[in-house]
Amino acid sequence: MEAAQVSDRDLLAAHASGAPYAFAELLRRHRDHLWQTALRASYSPEDADDSLQDALLSAHRGAAAFRGDAEVRSWLHRIVVNACLDRIRRNKLRRTEPLSEDVADEPRCPRDDYAALEANLLVDAALFALPADQRTALVAVELEGYSITDAAALLGIPEGTVKSRCARGRRRLAAHFRNQ
């Protein structure tokens, strides 16, 4: 049977049973989503990269513990979010600043893309000004498109908590943009 026809659950079960390429196929299917999740839940691309690596190692090692209560993609998503939150908590203890690159700070893109790039940078900066719990709830609901119920399951918190975190996050974002 071709890999494209095998379900995510079957691939995870095959990986847990020792199949050599099953986990690689899962990563191929979901890497873009997991990378975007890590980027949105982290303070820097470097932290996102490290968190994603930690999450994938955790998923690789813990595949046998998958209970099947959720979809494999949701399970992976939650592991990535948790790894990002863990890294944020660790970084609060020892704040670091990345070294500057020797390259120019200006992005290399056509002139028309500057407005979109600036808007993305402003939104990212505003998101990163939020507390981690509000940011992850807002990212799951507003940017990833999960329903309140699905976001609650992903984050492992009650639906009401997702709603309140999103509401508080939206208020903070609105105040942030009003003050600019």
Side-chain angles (χ1 to χ4, degrees), residues 71-83:
E71 292 297 319
V72 172
R73 178 180 171 125
S74 298
W75 178 72
L76 291 169
H77 180 98
R78 183 170 181 174
I79 291 172
V80 170
V81 169
N82 287 340

Side-chain angles (χ1 to χ4, degrees), residues 54-65:
D54 292 345
L56 293 178
L57 184 58
S58 176
H60 187 273
R61 289 179 177 163

Side-chain angles (χ1 to χ4, degrees):
M1 185 180 295
E2 285 186 38
Q5 296 173 341
V6 178
S7 74
D8 287 350
R9 287 176 191 260
D10 291 340
L11 282 172
L12 193 61
H15 165 68
S17 299
Y21 300 108
F23 197 76
E25 175 61 21
L26 275 175
L27 293 184
R28 186 194 62 73
R29 290 181 184 181
H30 301 291
R31 73 174 168 247
D32 292 339
H33 168 75
L34 297 175
W35 172 244
Q36 289 301 318
T37 299
L39 274 176
R40 289 182 176 131
S42 298
Y43 285 113
S44 71
E46 293 82 12
D47 282 346
D49 194 34
D50 291 343
S51 296
L52 183 58
Q53 183 175 349
D54 292 345
L56 293 178
L57 184 58
S58 176
H60 187 273
R61 289 179 177 163
F66 178 70
R67 294 186 313 252
D69 297 343
E71 292 297 319
V72 172
R73 178 180 171 125
S74 298
W75 178 72
L76 291 169
H77 180 98
R78 183 170 181 174
I79 291 172
V80 170
V81 169
N82 287 340
C84 292
L85 292 174
D86 288 345
R87 183 157 299 276
I88 288 169
R89 282 190 284 272
R90 277 194 309 266
N91 286 347
K92 281 185 180 179
L93 298 176
R94 52 180 171 77
R95 191 73 185 136
T96 61
E97 293 294 325
L99 297 174
S100 64
E101 300 278 330
D102 289 335
V103 297
D105 289 336
E106 286 196 36
R108 295 180 187 166
C109 58
R111 191 80 185 144
D112 294 341
D113 291 338
Y114 283 138
L117 178 62
E118 184 178 8
N120 283 339
L121 291 173
L122 290 173
V123 170
D124 285 348
L127 277 173
F128 292 128
L130 295 176
D133 59 346
Q134 292 175 13
R135 184 175 62 251
T136 55
L138 271 174
V139 165
V141 173
E142 299 297 336
L143 299 177
E144 296 289 333
Y146 285 101
S147 68
I148 297 294
T149 303
D150 292 341
L154 280 172
L155 298 172
I157 56 177
E159 290 180 29
T161 304
V162 172
K163 290 178 185 178
S164 65
R165 287 179 181 176
C166 286
R168 287 193 309 265
R170 286 184 194 107
R171 280 194 301 272
R172 282 185 177 208
L173 286 176
H176 175 82
F177 286 116
R178 270 195 307 272
N179 295 333
Q180 281 193 343

